[in-house]
């Protein structure tokens, strides 16, 4: 085996290849050779007179050692190797490989404390750091780091010898890679070693780096950031209290004369250091520090610096007073910086209208989060002063700014108290408690003064949110006063919004006061009858009241009251008393508008409650939904005799939204029972389980909305039928003998029975949601019935154009239902739609349908429990986009236009990432799309181009826009002039695009068009529409400023 090692050694000496090192280490690891064999083979090289050979010998030994398993190095071999390497440190030629060997040895379990003594002394004696390069110095620090980590006690026993030696080694290091390691070693030594005699030396070798000014070079392979160095240095600077007397003067110097970056760094470092340096050092330097901090607070360069200075002020006060907090009684006088600073601020607060008062109150607010005694002292000085100032007749003009300052202080006091709403503070632990009566008094007075109302409301909100401060009676007093404000405030002003916010806050934990006083006032102000058309003021008043109720009634108890009261109002509106019921000439529009506002309020609150995760929504399947069905079914049945408010389609649409929202929240079991009642009503005419309310549905009238011959008002109620179906879980079975036959009937109903778009869309949505959720049970329907529908309704040469369009819409929704769940039949249906491109009557309808299929909608959503596969839109786009591009390039004129329409619709429907890679092919097609006669398509294409230009696409895409710049400019100019383009939307879109071009295309490309653009845009400045003129001004300004 020795021969094998000899060969490897000789080969490496000649070639210095890694393979020989690996092979040698492998031989030792497998026990085929020993370290002794290696040393013997290296003997002639280790002792060679030639410097180069001697260095190579030690280098090879160190490399092999680094790859050897630790268990192969015994205590004896480590001892011998340590002595060998320490000896080699004396040789200037072998010092580098020797350090490499020691890096490995100092990590080994067999490396003992006696070895640590020998290694550290050899390093101190023979290693001259100034002559070594960075990587070599890094090895020295790594060795010391290993020794500190593994043999700390041994190094401690060396005492001053080790500390002095280390300081001489570390002094003057500048490389960031080494400094990270040095700072880590410094911190350990400062915390765990006795460095008291050398504290000034440590101060010199650490604080010389403050502040860190290092900026990493571009593409730095080491990844060392400025923050890494700052954090490592700060860990040293606050490692020992002994640094305090030396450090504070340095920090004050940096705060006085440093740059903004240096000041920020200094403030952040002080926040860490002050608590460690201790109260004695902080107290001794308090005035100097405060003078520096005061400058940054009262004359800040920016908000961030002001916040940092306030935070440091807090830390300073906490450091000074925390130590003596336990010994201080509540009545004890505060002395020192807190008192002096507080008095300075109080002087400034004598003029609350001045800007400096804002900074002074921020200081006092910062004091509130320091120590309890300082917080009490601050409130004792500031609150009575501000209250007195507010009540001073000579200071009447300054009441609003005074209350603003007081509101800030109350909020700070709130934050300083316990943050846990479940934990009531101890008696007397609420800082503001001694002053709450006078504060509540001035805030209530301020509430009734328009200029001071906003800050007063802000102060009251902070008091309300302070745990344990106000009694239930006081909360009621606040609610009473805020109610008066709401009643007096005729305009929807900031004061109204703030008042509602305050009442909402109270309602979250004390709803009794809102339900007992505020809601009755609001409900009383809602009229029982709709104001006539000309009564605009009254109409605005009920809109405002409903808006207030919407904001206030989120809380479960309050929402229940809202549902009861608004449902009653709805009944009174939609089914008036018998005295006015017979008036056939009555104008129903005002009542319909009022009823619509009521329903919209309920829908908006329900939607917001669902967003917030409220669990009480589901109970309204019993308390609200039956009343809605009752009202609308009753109205539909009576509409055959006289006009009824609740037959208005706009009301039905909002009622459907409410039913969907409530049904979404139910579990599958509750949906199952609800859907049985629904089908019993709509298919069998038995409304007893579904509808329940004040109006009694006449027994002599039958409810058959899906039967032939049903009245229009009954048919319109299919909207409420579909609203429940779209929100069902897929596990819910429909209570029909055959779902496929039921779907066939629904499809046929859309053809034979539907009378308007609302009816048709409702049934189509219901059909598509059933197909989406139950596709696996509907294979016969999907293969046979859908094909028959295509053949009879779409391939039918005798069908009218409108009938064809309706059938295409139905077919599109069926396809969408399958596509989003990844069903293979979907693409077969899409192929059929492509076949319609030859039919001039409906080719564009089919084209739009193909493009819109993958787009988002409000029916097939996760919230409605639809079955949706991820990336369905991307897969669809990848499938049809190449076909669309090919068709748009090669087809004849009629088909080409259809393909362009499809392209515009598709790109609007899918995420940008799905077509971004195809943009070079798409650009010329999109430009052709701008020549299509349909204004909606033109606007869509311009929006697509605008998104491409404005979103900072990659360089190649900006180049793409530049390539077509001339065509784009001329086309957009043509589309921006009213004489050429009647559509306002297209004109606005074209002008926005023109305004964007100068920011994304180089000047040399656009320069030839500049004069033409500015001249033509002058025409758009006279556009009859203000929105167009506004965009024209923006675009023309951008082009005027556009220079090379």
């Amino acid at each position: 085996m020795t021969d094998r090692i000899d060969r490897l050694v000789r080969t490496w000496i000649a070639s210095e290849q890694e393979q020989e090192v690996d092979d040698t280490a492998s031989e030792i690891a497998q026990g085929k050779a020993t370290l002794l064999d290696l040393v013997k083979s290296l003997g002639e090289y280790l002792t060679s007179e030639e410097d180069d050979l001697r260095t190579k010998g030690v280098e090879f030994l160190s490399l092999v050692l680094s790859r050897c398993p630790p268990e192969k190095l015994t205590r004896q071999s480590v001892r011998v190797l340590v002595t060998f390497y320490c000896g080699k440190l004396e040789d200037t030629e072998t010092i580098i490989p020797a350090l490499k060997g020691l890096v490995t040895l100092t990590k080994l379990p067999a490396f003992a404390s006696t070895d640590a003594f020998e290694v550290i002394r050899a390093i101190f004696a023979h290693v001259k750091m100034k002559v070594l390069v960075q990587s070599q110095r890094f090895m020295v620090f790594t060795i010391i780091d290993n020794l500190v980590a593994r043999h700390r006690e041994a190094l401690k026993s060396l005492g001053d010898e080790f500390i002095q030696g280390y300081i001489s080694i570390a002094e003057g290091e500048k490389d960031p890679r080494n400094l990270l390691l040095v700072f880590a070693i410094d911190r350990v030594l400062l915390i765990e070693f006795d460095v008291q005699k050398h504290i000034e030396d440590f101060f010199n070798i650490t604080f010389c780096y403050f502040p860190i000014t290092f900026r990493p070079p571009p593409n730095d392979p080491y990844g060392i950031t400025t923050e890494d160095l700052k954090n490592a240095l700060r860990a040293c600077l606050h490692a020992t209290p002994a640094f305090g007397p030396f450090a504070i003067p340095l920090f004050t110097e940096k705060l006085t004369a440093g740059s903004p970056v240096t000041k920020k760094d200094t403030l952040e470092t002080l926040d860490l250091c002050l608590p460690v340096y201790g109260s004695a050092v902080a107290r001794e330097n308090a005035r100097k520090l405060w003078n520096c901090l005061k400058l940054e607070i009262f004359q800040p360069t920016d908000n961030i610096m002001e916040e940092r200075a306030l935070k440091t002020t807090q830390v300073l006060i906490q450091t000074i007073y925390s130590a003596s907090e336990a010994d201080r009684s509540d009545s004890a006088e505060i002395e020192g910086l807190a008192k002096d600073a507080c008095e300075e601020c109080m002087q400034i607060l004598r003029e609350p209208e001045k800007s400096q008062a804002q900074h002074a109150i921020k200081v006092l607010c910062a004091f509130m989060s320091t120590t309890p005694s300082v917080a009490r002292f601050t409130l004792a000085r500031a609150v009575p002063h501000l209250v007195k100032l507010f009540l001073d007749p000579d200071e009447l003009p300054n009441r609003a700014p005074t209350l603003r300052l007081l509101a800030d202080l109350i909020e700070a006091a709130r934050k300083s108290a316990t943050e846990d709403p479940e934990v009531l503070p101890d008696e007397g632990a609420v800082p503001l408690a001694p002053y709450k009566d006078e504060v509540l008094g001035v805030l209530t007075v301020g509430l009734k003064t328009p200029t001071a109302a906003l800050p007063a409301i802000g102060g009251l909100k902070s008091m309300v949110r302070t745990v344990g401060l106000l009694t239930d009676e006081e909360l009621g007093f606040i609610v009473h006063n805020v109610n008066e404000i709401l009643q007096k405030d005729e305009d929807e002003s900031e004061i109204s919004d703030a008042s509602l916010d305050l009442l909402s806050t109270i309602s979250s934990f004390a709803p009794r006061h809102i339900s007992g006083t505020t809601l009755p006032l609001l409900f009383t102000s809602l009229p029982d009858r709709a104001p006539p058309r000309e009564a605009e003021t009254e109409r605005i008043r009920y809109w405002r009241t409903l808006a207030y109720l919407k904001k206030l009634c989120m809380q479960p108890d309050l929402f229940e009251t809202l549902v009861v009261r608004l449902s009653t109002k709805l009944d009174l509106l939609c089914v008036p008393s018998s005295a006015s019921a017979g008036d056939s000439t009555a104008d129903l529009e005002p009542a319909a508008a009022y009823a619509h506002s009521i329903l919209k309020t309920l829908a908006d609150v329900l939607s917001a409650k669902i967003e917030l995760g409220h669990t009480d929504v589901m109970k309204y399947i019993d308390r609200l939904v039956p009343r809605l069905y009752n009202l609308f079914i009753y109205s539909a049945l009576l509409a055959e005799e006289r006009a009824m408010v609740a037959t208005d389609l706009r009301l039905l649409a909002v009622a459907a939204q409410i039913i969907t929202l409530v049904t979404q929240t139910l579990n599958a079991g509750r949906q199952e029972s609800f859907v049985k009642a629904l089908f019993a009503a709509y298919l069998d005419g038995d409304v007893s389980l579904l509808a329940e309310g004040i109006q009694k549905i006449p027994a002599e009238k039958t409810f058959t909305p899906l039967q032939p011959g049903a009245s229009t008002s009954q048919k319109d109620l299919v909207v409420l039928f579909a609203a429940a179906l779209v929100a069902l879980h897929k596990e819910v079975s429909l209570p029909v003998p055959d779902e496929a036959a039921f779907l066939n009937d629904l499809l046929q109903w859309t053809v034979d029975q539907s009378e308007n778009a609302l009816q048709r869309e409702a049934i189509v949505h219901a059909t598509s949601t059933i197909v989406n959720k139950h596709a696996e049970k509907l294979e016969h329907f999907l293969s046979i019935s859908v094909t028959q529908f295509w053949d009879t309704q779409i391939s039918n040469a005798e069908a009218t154009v409108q009938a064809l369009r309706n059938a295409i819409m139905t077919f599109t929704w069926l396809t969408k239902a399958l596509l989003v769940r990844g069903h293979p039949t979907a693409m077969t249906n899409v192929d059929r739609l492509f076949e319609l491109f030859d039919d001039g009557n409906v080719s564009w309808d089919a084209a739009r349908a193909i493009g819109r299929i993958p787009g988002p909608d409000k029916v097939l959503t996760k919230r409605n429990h639809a079955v949706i596969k991820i990336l369905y839109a991307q897969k669809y786009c990848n499938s049809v986009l190449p076909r669309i591009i090919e068709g748009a390039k090669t087809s004849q004129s009629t088909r080409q236009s259809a393909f362009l329409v499809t392209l515009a619709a598709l790109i609007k429907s899918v995420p940008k990432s799905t077509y971004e890679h195809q943009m070079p092919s798409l650009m010329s097609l999109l430009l052709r799309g701008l020549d299509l006669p349909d204004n909606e398509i033109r606007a869509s294409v311009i929006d697509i181009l605008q998104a491409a230009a404005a979103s900072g696409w990659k360089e190649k895409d900006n180049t793409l826009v530049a390539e077509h710049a001339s065509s784009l400019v001329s086309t957009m100019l043509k589309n921006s002039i009213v004489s050429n383009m009647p559509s306002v939307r297209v004109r606005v879109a074209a002008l926005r695009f023109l305004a964007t071009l100068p920011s994304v295309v180089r000047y040399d490309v656009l320069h030839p068009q500049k004069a033409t653009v500015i001249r033509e845009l002058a025409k758009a400045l006279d556009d009859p529409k203000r929105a167009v003129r506004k965009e024209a001004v923006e675009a023309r300004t951008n082009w005027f400023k556009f220079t090379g």
Side-chain angles (χ1 to χ4, degrees), residues 675-804:
V675 86
K676 285 177 183 173
L678 184 74
F679 273 67
Y682 276 83
L683 298 189
D684 305 330
D686 178 9
V687 299
S688 60
L689 295 175
L690 180 68
E692 182 184 324
I694 298 171
Q695 300 82 17
K696 299 299 176 199
I697 294 173
E700 69 276 8
K701 292 187 178 290
T702 54
F703 180 58
T704 54
L706 294 171
Q707 296 299 318
S711 66
T712 302
S713 57
Q714 285 202 37
K715 288 180 182 178
D716 286 340
L717 294 192
V718 297
V719 174
L720 305 186
F721 178 63
L725 290 181
V726 298
L728 296 179
H729 289 275
K730 66 177 181 178
E731 297 81 13
V732 177
S733 299
L734 302 184
V736 291
D738 183 351
E739 278 192 24
F742 174 64
L743 289 177
N744 266 328
D745 292 342
L746 291 183
L747 284 181
Q748 201 57 43
W749 192 91
T750 63
V751 176
D752 300 335
Q753 304 297 325
S754 63
E755 297 178 15
N756 57 46
L758 194 70
Q759 294 174 11
R760 201 159 36 250
E761 283 175 11
I763 293 301
V764 168
H765 290 165
T767 307
S768 66
T769 197
I770 294 168
V771 166
N772 172 265
K773 292 166 187 174
H774 299 168
E776 62 280 356
K777 300 189 291 186
L778 299 169
E779 290 303 326
H780 182 271
F781 172 80
L782 295 175
S783 58
I784 307 298
S785 302
V786 173
T787 302
Q788 286 176 351
F789 181 82
W790 176 271
D791 293 339
T792 57
Q793 305 303 324
I794 299 176
S795 293
N796 184 355
E798 298 176 7
T800 64
V801 172
Q802 189 55 50
L804 281 173

Side-chain angles (χ1 to χ4, degrees), residues 80-386:
V80 171
L81 286 168
V82 164
T83 304
F84 168 76
Y85 279 126
C86 287
K88 289 298 177 185
L89 289 178
E90 300 176 30
D91 184 345
T92 54
E93 298 301 325
T94 58
I95 188 170
I96 307 309
L99 287 172
K100 285 183 185 175
L102 287 171
V103 167
T104 303
L105 288 175
T106 50
K107 294 177 184 175
L108 295 173
F111 186 89
S113 296
T114 51
D115 302 328
F117 294 140
E118 187 174 351
V119 169
I120 201 68
R121 283 172 174 149
I123 286 175
F124 291 160
H126 306 301
V127 175
K128 302 293 180 282
M129 296 293 276
K130 290 180 181 176
V131 302
L132 301 182
V133 298
Q134 179 273 327
S135 59
Q136 295 158 2
R137 298 197 306 275
F138 186 79
M139 287 191 289
V140 176
F141 289 124
T142 303
I143 292 167
I144 296 173
D145 187 49
N146 290 341
L147 295 177
V148 169
R150 293 171 172 80
H151 302 280
R152 196 168 300 173
E153 294 305 317
L155 296 181
K156 283 182 183 179
S157 67
L158 289 174
D160 290 350
E161 180 188 354
F162 171 67
I163 300 299
Q164 287 173 333
Y166 172 75
I167 290 170
S168 65
I169 288 282
E171 195 171 14
E173 181 56 58
K174 292 179 181 176
D175 192 278
R177 292 162 288 182
N178 294 350
L179 284 175
L180 283 178
L181 193 52
V182 170
F183 291 155
I185 297 168
D186 289 349
R187 178 169 170 77
V188 174
L189 300 189
L190 287 164
I191 292 173
E192 299 204 23
F193 285 63
D194 180 9
V195 296
Q196 203 58 42
K197 294 178 191 173
H198 307 279
I199 201 67
E200 195 166 348
D201 293 329
F202 264 106
F203 175 79
N204 291 334
I205 68 166
T206 51
F207 277 78
C208 64
Y209 299 106
F210 183 84
I212 294 289
T213 55
F214 166 73
R215 293 290 175 272
N219 305 315
D220 178 21
Y222 304 102
I224 297 172
T225 65
T226 308
E227 282 305 307
D228 292 336
L229 281 172
K230 281 184 179 179
N231 293 334
L233 177 59
R234 283 176 190 158
C236 293
L237 304 190
H238 74 272
T240 173
F243 274 160
F246 304 101
I248 298 295
L250 177 72
F251 288 143
T252 54
E253 180 193 331
K254 299 296 182 187
L255 284 175
T256 306
S259 66
V261 174
T262 299
K263 287 181 179 180
K264 181 174 176 288
D265 193 2
T266 304
L267 291 172
E268 289 173 354
T269 307
L270 269 170
D271 292 350
L272 295 171
C273 292
L274 281 172
V276 175
Y277 295 168
S279 59
V281 171
R283 195 177 297 110
E284 187 181 332
N285 296 276
R287 176 49 66 180
K288 292 177 189 173
L289 286 168
W290 169 240
N291 287 338
C292 296
L293 295 169
K294 188 167 53 173
L295 197 65
E296 302 303 330
I297 295 168
F298 287 94
Q299 298 174 28
T301 52
D302 56 52
N303 291 336
I304 295 173
M305 191 64 77
E306 183 185 20
E307 287 172 17
R308 292 272 16 128
L310 286 167
K311 177 73 173 68
T312 305
T313 303
Q314 279 184 318
V315 174
L316 177 61
I317 296 293
Q318 282 172 324
T319 305
I320 293 172
Y321 293 97
S322 292
S324 57
E325 188 65 32
D327 305 327
R328 194 185 305 276
S329 66
D330 287 0
S331 58
E333 180 73 8
I334 289 283
E335 297 293 341
L337 178 62
K339 181 179 181 181
D340 297 344
C342 196
E343 295 301 336
E344 284 182 53
C345 292
M346 296 307 296
Q347 285 295 116
I348 296 169
L349 291 179
R350 291 179 188 278
E351 298 178 301
E353 74 283 5
K354 298 287 179 66
S355 61
Q356 290 295 297
Q358 290 294 322
H359 302 301
I361 203 69
K362 286 179 182 178
V363 174
L364 297 181
C365 290
F367 282 9
M368 292 305 303
S369 295
T370 54
T371 71
S373 60
V374 172
R376 285 193 299 271
F377 177 80
T378 304
L379 285 176
R381 287 286 188 278
V383 173
H385 171 76
L386 292 171

Side-chain angles (χ1 to χ4, degrees), residues 786 790 794 808 811-820 823-837 843 845-854 872 875-881 883-884 895 899 902 906:
V786 173
W790 176 271
I794 299 176
I808 288 170
F811 191 78
T812 303
W813 270 98
L814 291 173
T815 304
K816 184 182 183 72
L818 295 168
L819 178 76
V820 299
H823 198 283
T825 312
M827 293 314 296
T828 306
N829 290 353
V830 173
D831 291 339
R832 286 174 172 167
L833 288 170
F834 272 114
E835 293 169 12
L836 296 177
F837 282 17
S843 60
D845 297 279
R848 285 193 188 92
I850 293 169
R852 291 171 181 169
I853 282 172
Y872 73 86
K875 291 173 185 173
Y876 178 80
C877 197
N878 292 340
S879 174
V880 302
L881 193 55
R883 182 173 180 179
I884 293 169
R895 285 177 64 84
F899 278 112
T902 304
L906 179 67

Side-chain angles (χ1 to χ4, degrees), residues 318-552:
Q318 282 172 324
T319 305
I320 293 172
Y321 293 97
S322 292
S324 57
E325 188 65 32
D327 305 327
R328 194 185 305 276
S329 66
D330 287 0
S331 58
E333 180 73 8
I334 289 283
E335 297 293 341
L337 178 62
K339 181 179 181 181
D340 297 344
C342 196
E343 295 301 336
E344 284 182 53
C345 292
M346 296 307 296
Q347 285 295 116
I348 296 169
L349 291 179
R350 291 179 188 278
E351 298 178 301
E353 74 283 5
K354 298 287 179 66
S355 61
Q356 290 295 297
Q358 290 294 322
H359 302 301
I361 203 69
K362 286 179 182 178
V363 174
L364 297 181
C365 290
F367 282 9
M368 292 305 303
S369 295
T370 54
T371 71
S373 60
V374 172
R376 285 193 299 271
F377 177 80
T378 304
L379 285 176
R381 287 286 188 278
V383 173
H385 171 76
L386 292 171
V387 169
K388 183 181 176 184
L389 206 60
F390 181 86
L391 297 175
D392 186 346
D394 297 334
E395 294 288 343
L396 276 175
N398 295 329
R399 281 191 160 185
T402 302
L403 279 192
R404 244 175 247 116
L405 301 175
L406 183 58
D408 289 344
L409 196 60
I410 296 168
E411 176 64 9
R414 181 192 72 78
K415 289 179 177 176
S416 70
T418 176
E419 292 289 340
D420 189 349
E422 301 296 323
V423 179
L424 282 175
D426 299 331
E427 191 69 32
V430 182
L432 199 63
Y435 316 99
K436 72 171 178 178
D437 292 340
E438 50 263 51
V439 170
L440 199 52
V442 298
L443 291 176
T444 307
V445 173
L447 200 58
K448 292 164 185 175
T449 311
T451 55
L454 275 176
I457 293 169
L460 287 170
K461 184 178 177 183
S462 295
M463 289 187 79
V464 161
R465 293 175 65 205
T466 303
V467 180
L469 177 62
L470 298 174
T471 63
D472 192 60
E473 188 180 345
E474 287 161 342
L475 285 172
F477 174 73
I478 292 172
V479 171
H480 172 74
N481 281 283
V482 176
N483 288 344
E484 289 182 6
I485 298 296
L486 279 180
Q487 284 179 291
K488 290 176 186 173
D489 190 27
E490 287 298 316
D491 304 316
E492 284 194 72
S493 65
E494 281 185 275
I495 295 173
S496 296
D497 291 340
S499 301
L500 286 169
D501 188 38
L502 172 56
L503 292 174
S504 297
T505 303
I506 295 172
S507 74
S508 64
F509 60 88
R512 185 172 63 81
H513 294 293
I514 308 300
S515 60
T517 59
T518 310
L519 294 191
L521 283 172
L522 294 174
F523 287 131
T524 304
S525 69
L526 282 177
D528 289 337
R529 291 188 180 183
R533 283 178 186 261
E534 62 275 8
E536 188 176 345
T537 306
E538 292 177 44
R539 193 156 45 252
I540 290 171
R541 192 174 294 127
Y542 79 62
W543 284 343
R544 187 167 60 244
T545 302
L546 288 171
Y548 291 170
L549 288 167
K550 189 192 302 185
K551 289 182 181 177
L552 282 178

Side-chain angles (χ1 to χ4, degrees), residues 982-999:
S983 168
V984 174
R985 188 182 162 213
V986 175
R987 298 204 302 277
V988 167
L991 288 166
R992 279 185 186 155
F993 185 83
L994 284 168
T996 304
L997 271 181
S999 62

